[in-house]
Amino acid sequence: MPVGVLDSGIGGLSVLQDIQKRLPREHLIFLADQANLPYGPRSLTEVQLFTEGITRFFLSQGVKLVVLACNTASAAALYYLRSKFPDVPFVGMEPAIKPAARDTKSGVIGVIATAATFQGQLYASLLDRFAHDIKVVTRPCPELVTLAERGNPWTETDIQNVREMLSPIIRARADQLVLGCTHFSFLKPVLQAAMTENVTIIDPAPAVARQVERVLTEKHLLADKNQAGKTIYYTSGSADHLRQQMNGLLGELQRDVRELRWQNGKLVV
Ligand code: DGL
């Protein structure tokens, strides 16, 4: 049985890569809902309906666990999906405020994500729990989602624009930058170039892969020791486009990329 991994676009591939490394025996289904990209500016209800439709598609493919490789989807829909599908294990993501608050020396951390992620209950409760004695500078960056989807090569102008976007975080002397959106993992070189060298970028993808392993182990759902895992890639947009994006971000490889279409709230082949 495969593990399903979803995002609005290519961001989830950063999480998928870590799952592939950590759990090479697992079969994986990756789904980029590029027909509905971006999720960031959408209402909670819309994101809930999209992720519900994707979960139903995953279940039709025999998926044993669903990973929301998207902070926006997790903020908008994790609780909703868990109550809608009580028998399905879901792994979601949240901005890594906890390690950033633990490791900061300047007492200031920066968090970048989509507007929807900052609005959710999940984010408020993170600040409540872990950010009492530090300053948190929050910055919604929808433009970075577009930049990550466009892909490299990154230009000097991109770096300047990103520096401008992050200026409230830079000015406040944050020494930790929390990536609260999976798309931003692919922008690490640009983000690092835009900030000073002594800023640590915190990417939650490895922690999510560890959590997937923990849940599969607990539920006795880990794949057979003798199999090599395969990944099928789906997009609700164009398969050619996703293939090109993956070649640019992850290197040229033969990949099984397929198209799905939304039809009356359902994903069909
Ligand atoms: N990759 C998504 C996230 O982690 C959202 C990007 C978007 O669709 O706005 O939040």
Side-chain angles (χ1 to χ4, degrees), residues 101-131:
R102 186 193 56 213
D103 295 342
T104 179
K105 294 197 176 54
S106 65
V108 185
I109 69 169
V111 187
I112 51 176
T114 67
T117 297
F118 288 130
Q119 274 153 26
Q121 201 38 48
L122 208 64
Y123 185 69
S125 101
L126 278 173
L127 292 185
D128 245 21
R129 280 179 293 153
F130 304 119

Side-chain angles (χ1 to χ4, degrees), residues 10 13-14 17 34 147-154 183 185-187 189-190 233 239-255 257:
I10 50 98
L13 292 169
S14 60
Q17 270 186 310
Q34 289 176 303
L147 186 62
E149 286 284 326
R150 191 207 73 195
N152 47 21
W154 319 115
H183 276 74
S185 296
F186 290 112
L187 297 174
V190 185
Y233 300 83
D240 281 342
H241 180 58
L242 180 59
R243 207 174 283 115
Q244 261 171 28
Q245 287 178 301
M246 282 198 290
N247 288 348
L249 292 167
L250 312 172
E252 304 264 345
L253 263 188
Q254 213 46 38
R255 295 188 181 89
V257 186

Side-chain angles (χ1 to χ4, degrees), residues 81-102:
L81 293 170
R82 282 187 175 144
S83 72
K84 199 94 196 170
F85 304 96
D87 299 330
V88 180
F90 287 92
V91 171
M93 330 192 28
E94 57 188 25
I97 304 282
K98 189 180 173 185
R102 186 193 56 213

